[in-house]
Structures are given as structure tokens and as C-alpha cells.
């Protein structure tokens, strides 16, 4: 990509947006700050696809590619062939119990008017200790680019698993660098997402995710881990399926 192409938003024709159904394509205008690429030691290619994951958005609804990947994860899990907007309006979609932790990308509005949808945010809700959330209650737990900010992410995912019913799904995204393994930032200089120069503790990054992200899903007690992608390696979403917890799944 040349600097000239970064100067003006570039419009890409794309497949139908899984959120709103628009076929108008996407708009990209660089939004990732350079310091993050340096702190994480990203190559030019890694920086570029991470930038597209965060900053390339549907011209119809504004959902960026990571939100679109998350929508796809929900739709695939539910077995719905339409868009997230359509699914949320179906009887089945309206009856689902959904826990959204922090605002999950740009998907909140597609669920917001549904009585069984709850959106709760840190610090009111701490993913590692969801003490007032009942066990086995939800059909879906969704979060987007939150897990990297959780000091003990397997503990956080195990809590997501606990509050799901059997067969329920945790759908989530993390900024994943596909060509390397995950590493903890414990002991490294603090790195933050959010507004550069205005770090907040809740935005501190504890894990840089890589190709072994799936391991945390299984370590947390989920029976299966699935991955869906939009234009890999640009955007991925994970699906952890809660099993019955029988012996074969707990070994
Ligand atoms: Zn859209």
C-alpha cells in the first residue's frame, strides 16, 4: 500500500455485509497509530492487515471488518443464512439470551431493543469474576477485542463458559497476529489501546494474540473452538462451544 492510497479513503467492492446486507463495499482510512505497531514489533504486512481489521468499514452500516467477522460467527453458530439485522428480528433471534461484554464492536445496535439482550461493561462487570451472573443461563456471550485486556484471559473465558447453557457459544474477536504465537505482556513496558497519550488501566494490553489463540478457548473448558474469517489474515472471530462437560471433554 502506498502513502497516496492512505491519504484518501479507499473504497473496496466487497461481498454482502453480514451485519446489514449492504453490497456497497467498504471504506478504508488508516486509523491504527504507529506506536502500537512499534510496541508490538509488527512487520509492515502485520500492521497493514491489523489496520484494515480495525479501520475498514461497511459503507452501509459502518461495521468494521472485525465486527463483521463477529457477526459471521454468530450467524454461523445460529445456522442463519441472512444478515445479523434479519436474524435479530426473527422469533428465534428475539428469544436468545445474549450477554454482551463491553460493546462488541459495532454490533450492539442490532440487538439493543431486545429484552433478553444485556450489555454490561468493565469495571461494573469483570469477565474474570462474573459473580452475579447465573451459571448455564445464556445462549451467547459475545465480546470484541476485550480479552487482550483481561489479566488472566483463560479465567475470563472459563467464566464465559460457566454462564452459557450446554451448546451455547462464546463468540469473540482479539487482534490476532497470525504468523506468530501469543505472548504475554506481563513484565514488559505497558501498552494501551484507546486514545494514544491517554492510557487507562482498563485499556492495558496483557496478551498479544497469535496463531495459538484457540488453545485458550479449549483450556477454559469449551468443548470446541471454531474460527471464522473475513479476508484472512485480516479479520477472524472465535467460537467456543460449551459441551456437556463429560469425562472426554474435561481430560
Ligand atoms: Zn453493513
Amino acid at each position: 500500500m502506498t502513502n497516496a492510497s492512505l491519504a484518501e479513503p479507499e473504497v473496496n467492492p466487497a461481498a454482502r455485509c453480514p451485519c446489514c446486507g449492504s453490497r456497497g463495499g467498504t471504506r478504508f482510512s488508516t486509523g491504527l497509530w504507529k506506536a502500537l505497531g512499534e510496541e508490538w514489533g509488527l512487520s509492515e504486512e502485520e500492521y497493514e492487515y491489523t489496520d484494515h481489521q480495525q479501520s475498514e468499514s461497511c459503507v452501509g452500516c459502518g461495521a468494521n471488518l472485525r465486527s463483521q467477522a463477529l457477526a459471521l460467527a454468530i450467524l454461523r453458530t445460529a445456522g442463519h443464512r441472512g444478515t445479523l439485522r434479519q436474524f435479530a428480528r426473527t422469533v428465534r433471534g428475539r428469544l436468545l439470551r445474549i450477554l454482551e461484554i463491553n460493546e462488541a464492536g459495532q454490533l450492539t445496535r442490532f440487538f439493543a431493543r431486545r429484552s433478553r439482550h444485556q450489555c454490561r461493561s468493565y469495571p461494573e462487570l469483570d469477565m474474570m469474576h462474573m459473580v452475579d451472573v447465573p451459571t448455564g443461563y445464556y445462549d451467547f456471550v459475545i465480546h470484541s477485542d476485550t480479552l487482550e485486556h483481561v489479566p488472566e484471559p483463560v479465567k475470563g473465558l472459563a467464566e464465559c463458559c460457566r454462564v452459557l447453557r450446554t451448546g451455547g457459544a462464546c463468540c469473540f474477536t482479539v487482534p490476532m497476529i497470525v504468523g506468530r504465537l501469543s505472548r504475554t505482556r506481563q513484565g514488559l513496558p505497558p501498552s494501551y489501546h484507546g486514545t494514544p497519550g491517554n492510557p487507562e488501566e482498563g485499556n492495558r494490553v496483557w496478551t498479544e494474540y497469535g496463531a495459538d489463540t484457540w488453545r485458550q478457548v479449549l483450556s477454559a473448558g469449551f468443548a470446541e473452538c471454531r474460527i471464522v474469517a473475513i479476508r484472512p489474515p485480516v479479520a477472524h472471530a472465535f467460537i467456543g462451544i460449551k459441551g456437556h462437560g463429560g469425562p472426554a471433554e474435561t481430560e
Side-chain angles (χ1 to χ4, degrees), residues 16-22 25 58-63 68 85 110:
R16 186 175 65 148
C17 171
C19 301
C20 74
S22 167
C58 168
V59 297
C61 71
Q68 293 187 28
R85 175 174 287 159
F110 293 102

Side-chain angles (χ1 to χ4, degrees), residues 168 170 214 217-218 221-226 239-243 249:
C170 177
W214 61 271
V217 179
L218 299 185
F222 286 97
E224 285 179 48
C225 178
R226 304 172 190 164
I239 304 163
I241 304 288
K242 181 170 180 172
E249 293 170 6

Side-chain angles (χ1 to χ4, degrees), residues 53-85:
Q53 173 192 107
Q54 304 290 333
S55 314
E56 182 173 335
S57 305
C58 168
V59 297
C61 71
N64 62 10
L65 294 183
R66 84 164 142 108
S67 298
Q68 293 187 28
L70 187 60
L72 204 55
I74 295 167
L75 291 168
R76 293 263 176 87
T77 306
H80 185 85
R81 292 189 177 185
T83 65
L84 190 63
R85 175 174 287 159

Side-chain angles (χ1 to χ4, degrees), residues 70-80 84 87 92-93 95-101 111 114 116-118 130 133 136-143 160-161 163-165 167-172 222 226 238-241:
L70 187 60
L72 204 55
I74 295 167
L75 291 168
R76 293 263 176 87
T77 306
H80 185 85
L84 190 63
F87 177 58
R92 185 162 157 253
L95 290 175
L96 286 175
R97 292 169 171 162
I98 300 171
L99 175 63
E100 180 181 356
I101 302 175
F111 295 113
R114 302 171 63 259
R116 291 185 165 187
H117 164 259
Q118 278 197 303
M130 297 196 282
V133 182
Y137 182 77
Y138 286 100
D139 299 295
F140 279 96
V141 174
I142 60 175
H143 45 87
C160 294
C161 190
V163 306
L164 284 166
R165 65 166 172 80
C170 177
C171 300
F172 69 96
F222 286 97
R226 304 172 190 164
F238 290 84
I239 304 163
I241 304 288

Side-chain angles (χ1 to χ4, degrees), residues 131-179:
V131 288
D132 63 342
V133 182
T135 297
Y137 182 77
Y138 286 100
D139 299 295
F140 279 96
V141 174
I142 60 175
H143 45 87
S144 187
D145 287 21
T146 285
L147 198 62
E148 71 271 24
H149 302 291
V150 176
E152 296 177 71
V154 173
K155 193 172 178 178
L157 285 173
E159 271 289 86
C160 294
C161 190
R162 177 184 69 77
V163 306
L164 284 166
R165 65 166 172 80
T166 298
C170 177
C171 300
F172 69 96
T173 66
V174 288
M176 179 170 68
I177 307 303
V178 299

